Amino acid sequence: MHHPACIRRFCHLSSGPVKLAIVGGSRGAAFLKVLAPLADQLQLVAFCDKREEMIARWKEDRPDLLTFTSYEKLLECPDIDAVFLATPFTVHAEQSIQALRAGKHVLSEVIAATTIEECWALVEAVEQSGLTYMMAENCLFTRSNMMVAQMAHAGLFGEISFAEGGYIHDVRHLQHSSDGTLTWRGRLRRDVNGVVYPTHSLGPLAHWLRMHEPNGDTLESMTCFVSKEVANHSYFRELFGDAHPGADRDYWRQGDSAVALIKTRNGVLIQLRYDVKSARPIQNAHYGLQGANGAFLSGRHKDEDPIVWIGGRSPGVSPQRHGEPRAEWESLWTYAEQYEHPAWRKWRAQAGNAGHGGSDFFVLDEFSSAILEKRRPLIDVYDAVMWTSVFPLSVLSVETQGKPVKFPRFNRTEAVRAPGSEA
Amino acid sequence: MHHPACIRRFCHLSSGPVKLAIVGGSRGAAFLKVLAPLADQLQLVAFCDKREEMIARWKEDRPDLLTFTSYEKLLECPDIDAVFLATPFTVHAEQSIQALRAGKHVLSEVIAATTIEECWALVEAVEQSGLTYMMAENCLFTRSNMMVAQMAHAGLFGEISFAEGGYIHDVRHLQHSSDGTLTWRGRLRRDVNGVVYPTHSLGPLAHWLRMHEPNGDTLESMTCFVSKEVANHSYFRELFGDAHPGADRDYWRQGDSAVALIKTRNGVLIQLRYDVKSARPIQNAHYGLQGANGAFLSGRHKDEDPIVWIGGRSPGVSPQRHGEPRAEWESLWTYAEQYEHPAWRKWRAQAGNAGHGGSDFFVLDEFSSAILEKRRPLIDVYDAVMWTSVFPLSVLSVETQGKPVKFPRFNRTEAVRAPGSEA
């Protein structure tokens, strides 16, 4: 195959690091500090934000960067190989498709799209471009989640039956500006009701379940139930008074706690909880796993160790017959010597300083490596849209009082999922 | 009103403690040791078990007891006021109805019934008898669950939006005798698939949500998804070889992890997880609660404190704006001085020695007090059948691939639920 994308890739290999533009300055800034150790494979060359004050702030730190207030202008620039979209997720699909059509590789922050139609359009744009698309789901790459992946793939948990994830993070203050005007997050809570932000919860589970592998498991059907709204209207009333429309409970479609139950093609049950409004300590990294031979459970908060029990290795037996020792959890970290992920072993010094538990580092590493090595990234467009589609499909389920909905089969060309098959 | 039941009750009041018969010796034995401090209100006078060897064992400890191998004969005995059914739950409804028709008060172990038809028949039998029926859901009465009830009812969590419970306890060894013959539990796993044992998870949540109060909230609709079976067939194969029918995965209808999502009439989302097969440490007391002003979460195992966060009282704020202190959990026990339930304050010395975290003591106390004080017990027949109906309705939902099902309104005569209205 000698279509233009292949030639472009070959150019990368011979000409050094991938030249990257970051689009969106608020979230994008978190990635600046992890770039140094990746200098051989990834070079930040440009920055784009429609806010002039954000451009000015970045210019102070990085006067060397090309800057753009127009995304379209950026896409016309021939000195940029790839874009990293750190913009509101409502525009991710549109911006990704624009970039792919302009010949740029795309690293998109989560989530990849907001409708099933956008998901399909994104898949088509990637397939037609032959370029690399990756979704930047950093939770896959945390130290504990990577270690659990190693253990799951080594078979320690046995055949897996159940996996759960939870994203619980009170970010009500991000829904409005200081005068009470709604931001895009606020408008989302006003307009839709479901598991709107599923990939932090689902991504690691999909990795443990090998969904990214050729002929891997896939999401099949889902139901979603959501509680009533209690947290937002009281918050808006307190902050902006009764005159603000958000002081009315009925103004908000999104309930406080949303739970989706998903059955996979292979019969695994996945449970996802989503709550970005309730008053409580953060738990944006709740995970659990159950197999025929053991279980994993994350801490209730950051000061608690994640725990595991592995039959034949951890203390006690299950089931516990009369007189036998009771099964007792162990700290996940006691398994680090044997099951620390090789990437974490190698890069821990560098990654430890990055945001999101070091995982931002691995996102950029994986994206640029996939481009340079001409292979599919760990989170390709099929993974991205499968996980992302929980948003529109959960909304649909809620609108029909929890009726189960089927997932589309986005991986319609199975061969594309095989590692290296794109080359 | 002077129907026979009222006269019977008056007799109790004038003639001293309720005379109780325990039916079913395995589980029933756990209650023997909590009887002493209740001597003024409850007196064990009889014991029934169809197994002669169980009768003999009880006779050794308590030669004073009347003993029966026939339940029908026991019901004919005029010296018995009440029966405590500690039998397999598949016969609870039938035995309860028999007892009520014979003029005996009934304390039934969980669950109360196995079909919706049995639920209705039980409600009718209680209403027609005018006698006291209580379901012995002891998890309501644990120290932490009673304290959370006090805090929830005092409004500390604000308006409640979400509650969760989990019963995870590997009891695969109770499914068979030593020769591989299935017990009633084994036959259940073989024949049905759903949240078969819901009341330990649901009971405390219903109490926190005030479902037991007049015009209280009620369960409205439910979906149930269940994972595939992985744990049982490998267990039976290992123990009894390939020739045992249970060594075949398809022999078992019950999947390993079942999750039910329930919406209440008032819009609260309830999540119940049920798993009695997976290899892992026990967690038969998982609970969580989320309101507009705070949250509660049980420990992952018995050595962890349950934790709470209450807005305006616990450290930090939620949402956490830039520069503000992060919300931090507190141990539930730091609230004991103010919110320990009065019953636990009073009885802790006695109850501390009873089974199930002391809660068995409170079950017997509540049952006998309700009879003597002529009031409805905390868990009356309407609560019992509402919680219990999760079993047959979840099975129905699973059979239709997770289609939501509506709950019947068992409390068809609302007035009966008012405290004291039976007198």
Side-chain angles (χ1 to χ4, degrees), chain B residues 138-160:
Chain B
N138 51 43
C139 293
L140 227 74
F141 297 96
T142 64
R143 187 181 170 213
S144 56
N145 284 346
M146 292 286 265
M147 200 184 301
V148 172
Q150 292 291 99
M151 295 170 70
H153 297 170
L156 266 70
F157 299 104
E159 185 178 349
I160 291 168

Side-chain angles (χ1 to χ4, degrees), chain A residues 159 161-162 170 173 226-228 235 249 263 266-267 271 273 279-280 290 298-300 305 318-319 321, chain B residues 159 161-162 170 226-228 235 249 263 266-267 271 273 278-280 290 298-300 305 318-319 321:
Chain A
E159 186 178 348
S161 57
F162 175 79
D170 182 3
H173 59 301
V226 190
S227 79
K228 63 183 164 186
Y235 171 87
R249 188 196 293 255
K263 196 80 177 275
N266 290 347
Q271 170 190 299
R273 179 160 165 222
R280 52 162 283 171
Q290 180 67 58
S298 58
R300 294 174 295 177
D305 276 4
S318 182
R321 291 179 194 79
Chain B
E159 185 178 349
S161 57
F162 175 79
D170 182 3
V226 190
S227 80
K228 63 183 163 186
Y235 171 87
R249 188 196 293 256
K263 195 80 177 275
N266 290 347
Q271 171 190 298
R273 179 160 164 223
S278 293
R280 51 162 283 171
Q290 180 66 59
S298 58
R300 294 175 294 177
D305 277 3
S318 181
R321 291 179 194 79

Side-chain angles (χ1 to χ4, degrees), chain B residues 322-375:
Chain B
H322 187 69
E324 289 181 328
R326 168 194 282 255
E328 302 277 2
W329 295 103
E330 298 178 280
S331 167
L332 175 68
W333 307 128
T334 62
Y335 287 74
E337 197 178 337
Q338 195 172 354
Y339 292 102
E340 185 87 79
H341 193 280
W344 266 95
R345 272 189 225 278
K346 185 177 167 194
W347 291 107
R348 198 161 164 206
Q350 289 98 324
N353 299 320
H356 289 84
S359 48
D360 287 342
F361 170 84
F362 291 110
V363 166
L364 295 177
D365 180 31
E366 173 65 11
F367 176 60
S368 49
S369 298
I371 293 171
L372 295 172
E373 295 165 14
K374 299 182 191 171
R375 59 169 174 83

Side-chain angles (χ1 to χ4, degrees), chain B residues 6 124 127 132 141 205-206 271 301-302 340 343 377 379 407 410:
Chain B
C6 289
E124 277 165 21
E127 289 178 347
T132 296
F141 297 96
L205 314 184
Q271 171 190 298
H301 50 79
K302 66 178 169 37
E340 185 87 79
I379 308 165
F407 283 86
F410 289 110

